Amino acid sequence: QEQLVESGGGLMQPGGSLRLSCLASGRSVNTYIMGWYRQAPGKQRELVASTISSLSTYADSVKGRFTISSDNAKNTLYLQMNNQNPEDTGVYYCNYVDFPISWGPGTQDTVSS
């Protein structure tokens, strides 16, 4: 069964760093373009980073601060988030961008002083 489980969220102060993980089962993280999405309070879910092979793209709001990567052996997608600000607050999800499967539970990241 194809499944995605996100983890690693927390409560952070502005300027802090956090790494999110997305464990995939039933489908390889390298099969299709994979991405990290963020749903801020009261807003729609948005794609903030995506990757396939060695290519990555980022939303302007996170460019230069976030880094997406994957570990094929662990079948896990990561999102390293540095220099966070309150606008990064939200629930973060991972999924295949072009051929999505059921959404996982997401992981909450709250950036507040």
Side-chain angles (χ1 to χ4, degrees):
Q1 181 180 357
E2 297 175 332
Q3 189 177 17
L4 300 165
V5 180
E6 303 87 353
S7 62
L11 176 61
M12 304 296 300
Q13 290 191 338
S17 296
L18 200 64
R19 190 177 80 157
L20 306 182
S21 299
C22 166
L23 176 63
S25 57
R27 189 191 292 187
S28 169
V29 295
N30 289 321
T31 302
Y32 306 110
I33 299 173
M34 281 205 82
W36 280 99
Y37 297 77
R38 175 173 69 203
Q39 186 162 21
K43 296 186 178 181
Q44 289 189 333
R45 192 176 294 164
E46 61 170 340
L47 180 66
V48 297
S50 61
T51 187
I52 180 72
S53 299
S54 59
L55 301 176
S56 300
T57 59
Y58 300 93
D60 287 343
S61 60
V62 307
K63 198 172 294 183
R65 301 187 298 117
F66 288 13
T67 302
I68 188 172
S69 63
S70 62
D71 185 326
N72 298 342
K74 296 181 179 179
N75 211 32
T76 300
L77 185 74
Y78 300 102
L79 185 67
Q80 178 67 43
M81 305 187 293
N82 297 331
N83 192 24
Q84 292 192 87
N85 58 59
E87 288 69 39
D88 295 327
T89 293
V91 181
Y92 285 75
Y93 303 86
C94 63
N95 213 325
Y96 300 88
V97 174
D98 295 321
F99 302 98
I101 62 176
S102 297
W103 294 95
T107 186
Q108 174 72 47
D109 177 36
T110 302
V111 184
S112 175
S113 55

